[in-house]
């Protein structure tokens, strides 16, 4: 029973949740963080830690409210042409950029959106989100290719003039995007970092120093907060931006982040002592101890399921790790379909997810890359459409010991014939700052080796660096098998194909996968992308491409990968909500309460939110 998790201390505490504390002139939310950002340059980054900060400091043309409904933000209004190709946005008057002291530094105009697009579409700037722009904007891909350094031995692409790109500031308050084809979900794309503005004069003055994570003076700010103080691996201070167009709805005046690499373990005790106001992603053992304590249970509640991040194990087809881990031998194994299927059917996800949520691990698991409830049509969820339907219907039965052993035997025969050495070394690193990941890796190691045999595989679990894990491990190809995640950038299943696209830094299949699979998969994705006027056909085509990826065990879907509990002095359902973009990382509209939210109160707020949202959207 959900309400048995917390023991109520008194009826007054329950009622007080719904009576917000009086807003003081200063309201500070203090929390710990254990992993430093890589950059403040929101135009190039693909790092979630960076997104979470950028979302609070840079506003977008549109945003989502607490019910998931799109709302005007920097743009006061917009219009779209009848053919769906031309989108025109009219900015609010009086928008300002501020510096790290909160002082006005420049007017924010439509030219700032054009400047951002020009920067992102210059391949020399290496923006990892450039594809979000060039896949939809007219002329953007040709322009991007013309700025790229060609591969050795290849001719450079023609250099294109900027005027050929469909991003134009018509005047100071009007920005217009012309698309290559109709994109009905275009508004949702605008809430992502790749459509944020930048002040061109400041950008040019900073040069290569723009966005360096060295202090608060390398970018300008136009969001709900500005970075008033920043000492890497010490603290960050975000202060309410009085110049923001919607500052009167920012009720928490200061966000204070204190660095502690042991934040997951020391945070709960600091919270109990009143030293911090927020603890996210509790260590599982600590969460269970609190929930079973009649007093501490009133200081903890479930973490709201806002995230549509999808988790999956990726096989690395271009291993660049040290010779001691036998990269060439691994490459032989990764390119063997029977080997991949032995791992796919041999992985007991339920056992692994028990580390994250011992009480209800089943709720975290699904079989697709695209999460359930992300997209639907006429009441039918995308994950049960077309070729995805039989995969989804398997549920937990993807774990099948008999099939795993059958594929193992077939793989062993084929790999021995190809000259592979056994056991196959499987380097599986983890980020030591992510609570429970080390234990999860150990469970996977023991479970897979016990089933498939230590003579077949040797899973090597190693801690990666606590800072820069993504750049040092995943993006550098220094792993064999790695649990990865991907969050949606816009409201369409196409967004979940991006981690596997040409040039990806997830599994590098475009570099090292053999046998024609890559070409076949990309053709399926291209076919789906070409369907713009028939949503049912488009979804069916993307389902076919996604199923092709899974049926060939190129990746192993895990599910949500995160769950758990948090301690907070605010109602999570006041936060902006969207299953894509970065709106969920903002605090606009959130008020601090005078007490922690417990599990009973959480579900009361959740039920109320569901009721209000259903009434609003007419469900």
């Amino acid at each position: 029973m959900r309400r048995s998790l917390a023991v109520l201390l008194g009826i007054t505490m329950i009622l007080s949740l719904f009576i917000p504390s009086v807003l003081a002139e200063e309201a500070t939310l203090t929390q710990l963080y254990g992993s430093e950002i890589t950059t403040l340059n929101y135009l190039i980054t693909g790092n979630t830690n960076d997104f979470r900060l950028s979302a609070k400091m840079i506003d977008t043309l549109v945003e989502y409210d607490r019910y998931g409904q799109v709302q005007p933000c920097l743009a006061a209004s917009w219009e779209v042409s009848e053919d769906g190709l031309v989108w025109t946005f009219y900015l609010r008057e009086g928008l300002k950029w501020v510096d790290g002291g909160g002082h006005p530094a420049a007017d924010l105009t439509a030219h700032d959106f054009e400047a951002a697009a020009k920067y992102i579409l210059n391949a020399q700037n290496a923006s990892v989100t450039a594809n979000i722009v060039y896949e939809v904007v007219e002329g953007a891909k040709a322009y991007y290719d013309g700025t790229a350094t060609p591969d050795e031995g290849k001719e450079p692409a023609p250099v294109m003039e900027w005027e050929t790109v469909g991003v134009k500031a018509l005047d100071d308050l009007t920005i217009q995007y012309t698309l290559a084809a109709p994109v009905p979900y275009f508004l949702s794309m605008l809430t992502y970092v790749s459509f944020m503005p930048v002040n061109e004069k400041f950008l040019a003055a900073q040069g290569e120093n723009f966005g360096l994570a060295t202090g608060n003076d390398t970018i300008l700010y136009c969001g709900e907060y500005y970075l008033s103080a920043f000492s890497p691996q010490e603290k960050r201070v975000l202060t309410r931006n009085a110049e923001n167009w919607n500052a009167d709805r920012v009720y928490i005046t200061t966000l204070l982040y204190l660095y502690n690499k042991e934040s997951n373990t020391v945070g709960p005790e600091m919270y109990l002592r009143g030293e911090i106001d927020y603890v996210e992603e509790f260590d599982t053992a600590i969460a269970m101890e609190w929930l079973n304590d009649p007093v501490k249970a009133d200081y903890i509640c479930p973490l709201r399921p806002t995230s549509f991040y999808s988790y999956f194990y990726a096989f690395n087809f271009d291993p660049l790790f040290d010779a001691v881990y036998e990269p060439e031998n691994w490459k032989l194994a990764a390119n063997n379909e029977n080997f991949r299927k032995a791992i796919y059917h041999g992985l007991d996800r339920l056992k692994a997810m028990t580390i994250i949520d011992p009480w209800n691990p089943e709720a975290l698991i699904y079989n697709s890359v695209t999460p359930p409830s992300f997209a639907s049509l006429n009441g039918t969820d995308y994950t049960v459409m077309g070729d995805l339907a039989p995969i989804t219907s398997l549920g937990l039965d993807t774990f099948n010991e008999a099939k795993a052993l059958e594929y193992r035997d077939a793989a062993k025969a084929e790999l021995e014939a190809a000259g592979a050495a056994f056991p196959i070394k499987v380097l599986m690193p983890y980020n030591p700052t992510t609570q429970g990941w080390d234990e999860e890796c150990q469970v996977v190691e023991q479970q897979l080796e016990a089933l498939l045999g230590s003579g077949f595989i040797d899973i090597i679990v190693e801690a990666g660096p606590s800072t820069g894990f993504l750049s040092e491990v995943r993006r550098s190809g220094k792993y064999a098998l790695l649990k990865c995640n991907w969050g949606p950038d816009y409201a369409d299943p196409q967004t979940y194909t991006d981690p596997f696209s040409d040039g990806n830094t997830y599994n590098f299949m475009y570099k090292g996968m053999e046998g024609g699979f890559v070409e076949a998969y990309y053709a399926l994705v291209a076919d789906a992308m070409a369907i713009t006027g028939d949503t049912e056909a488009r979804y069916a085509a993307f389902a076919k491409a996604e199923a092709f990826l899974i049926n060939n065990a190129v990746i192993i879907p895990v599910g949500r990968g995160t769950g758990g509990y948090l301690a907070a002095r605010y109602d999570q359902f006041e936060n902006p909500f969207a299953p894509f973009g970065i709106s969920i990382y903002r605090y606009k509209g959130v008020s601090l309460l005078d007490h922690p939210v417990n599990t009973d109160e959480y579900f009361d707020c959740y039920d109320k939110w569901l009721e209000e949202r259903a009434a609003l959207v007419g469900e």
Side-chain angles (χ1 to χ4, degrees), residues 360-375:
N360 191 23
E362 296 94 334
L364 302 177
I365 298 172
Y366 51 81
N367 296 346
S368 49
V369 180
T370 305
S373 302
F374 173 75

Side-chain angles (χ1 to χ4, degrees), residues 217-368:
D217 58 350
T218 62
I219 64 169
L220 295 181
Y221 310 87
C222 65
E224 56 188 332
Y225 295 95
Y226 62 91
L227 189 59
S228 57
F230 177 41
S231 299
Q233 295 191 337
E234 182 181 339
K235 71 175 181 178
R236 312 169 187 150
V237 183
L238 272 67
T239 301
R240 180 171 61 186
N241 179 9
E243 299 293 332
N244 183 259
W245 69 275
N246 209 9
D248 60 347
R249 291 202 65 246
V250 181
Y251 307 132
I252 302 175
T253 56
T254 304
L255 302 175
L256 173 59
Y257 297 85
L258 303 174
Y259 178 79
N260 190 310
K261 65 179 181 180
E262 305 296 335
S263 58
N264 289 323
T265 52
V266 304
E269 284 304 314
M270 291 180 66
Y271 183 83
L272 286 177
R273 294 196 299 265
E275 297 172 17
I276 59 176
D277 306 295
Y278 181 83
V279 180
E280 187 179 49
E281 297 182 9
F282 264 68
D283 176 87
T284 303
I286 296 174
M288 293 305 104
E289 186 264 318
W290 279 37
L291 289 168
N292 286 297
D293 184 292
V295 175
K296 292 179 181 178
D298 263 333
Y299 290 83
I300 190 171
C301 70
L303 180 64
R304 180 186 182 185
T306 56
S307 175
F308 278 77
Y309 271 84
S310 188
Y311 285 72
F312 50 87
Y313 278 93
F315 293 90
N316 181 7
F317 293 93
D318 187 37
L320 297 176
F321 42 73
D322 293 342
V324 67
Y325 303 114
E326 302 174 359
E328 291 304 314
N329 200 54
W330 168 256
K331 194 168 183 178
L332 280 175
N335 269 289
N336 184 280
E337 183 177 333
N338 285 318
F339 176 84
R340 299 194 305 268
K341 287 185 174 180
I343 304 294
Y344 175 90
H345 288 291
L347 178 63
D348 187 345
R349 296 174 299 168
L350 186 64
K351 187 172 289 186
M353 290 298 95
T354 300
I355 299 300
I356 296 176
D357 190 344
W359 289 33
N360 191 23
E362 296 94 334
L364 302 177
I365 298 172
Y366 51 81
N367 296 346
S368 49

Side-chain angles (χ1 to χ4, degrees), residues 51-334:
F51 291 167
R52 293 170 74 102
L53 204 57
S54 300
K56 300 173 180 64
M57 303 187 304
I58 309 294
D59 266 353
T60 43
L61 285 168
V62 298
E63 63 185 2
Y64 285 84
D65 65 16
R66 63 189 292 253
Y67 300 109
Q69 303 298 297
V70 68
Q71 302 291 335
C73 189
L74 294 178
S77 62
W78 58 87
E79 60 188 27
V80 59
S81 61
E82 288 188 9
D83 61 7
L85 295 179
V86 182
W87 293 72
T88 307
F89 296 85
Y90 304 98
L91 303 188
R92 301 175 187 277
E93 295 186 3
L95 296 173
K96 297 290 184 182
W97 290 101
V98 302
D99 60 21
H103 308 115
D107 292 335
L108 192 157
T109 71
H111 302 284
D112 298 332
F113 290 92
E114 185 172 348
K118 193 171 185 178
Y119 180 89
I120 286 172
L121 292 174
N122 184 338
Q124 299 304 313
N125 292 323
S127 170
V128 299
T129 65
N131 65 302
I132 305 297
V133 180
Y134 68 58
E135 285 177 356
V136 298
V137 172
E138 176 69 29
K141 184 63 166 68
Y143 181 87
Y144 180 86
D145 290 344
T147 66
T149 302
D151 293 336
E152 187 176 350
K154 292 190 176 182
E155 291 294 320
V159 176
M160 308 299 292
E161 296 297 324
W162 177 250
E163 287 67 27
T164 63
V165 179
V167 183
K168 295 289 180 292
L170 304 185
D171 55 46
D172 284 352
L173 296 178
T174 311
I175 181 68
Q176 187 174 85
Y177 295 92
T178 300
L179 309 184
V183 181
Y185 52 89
F186 185 61
L187 278 181
S188 70
M189 299 180 75
L190 299 178
T191 65
Y192 198 50
V193 289
S194 45
F195 285 94
M196 285 178 167
V198 68
N199 181 269
E200 187 169 23
K201 184 177 179 180
F202 183 85
L203 178 66
Q206 289 289 310
E208 293 183 356
N209 292 325
F210 178 77
L212 290 183
T214 54
N216 68 340
D217 58 350
T218 62
I219 64 169
L220 295 181
Y221 310 87
C222 65
E224 56 188 332
Y225 295 95
Y226 62 91
L227 189 59
S228 57
F230 177 41
S231 299
Q233 295 191 337
E234 182 181 339
K235 71 175 181 178
R236 312 169 187 150
V237 183
L238 272 67
T239 301
R240 180 171 61 186
N241 179 9
E243 299 293 332
N244 183 259
W245 69 275
N246 209 9
D248 60 347
R249 291 202 65 246
V250 181
Y251 307 132
I252 302 175
T253 56
T254 304
L255 302 175
L256 173 59
Y257 297 85
L258 303 174
Y259 178 79
N260 190 310
K261 65 179 181 180
E262 305 296 335
S263 58
N264 289 323
T265 52
V266 304
E269 284 304 314
M270 291 180 66
Y271 183 83
L272 286 177
R273 294 196 299 265
E275 297 172 17
I276 59 176
D277 306 295
Y278 181 83
V279 180
E280 187 179 49
E281 297 182 9
F282 264 68
D283 176 87
T284 303
I286 296 174
M288 293 305 104
E289 186 264 318
W290 279 37
L291 289 168
N292 286 297
D293 184 292
V295 175
K296 292 179 181 178
D298 263 333
Y299 290 83
I300 190 171
C301 70
L303 180 64
R304 180 186 182 185
T306 56
S307 175
F308 278 77
Y309 271 84
S310 188
Y311 285 72
F312 50 87
Y313 278 93
F315 293 90
N316 181 7
F317 293 93
D318 187 37
L320 297 176
F321 42 73
D322 293 342
V324 67
Y325 303 114
E326 302 174 359
E328 291 304 314
N329 200 54
W330 168 256
K331 194 168 183 178
L332 280 175

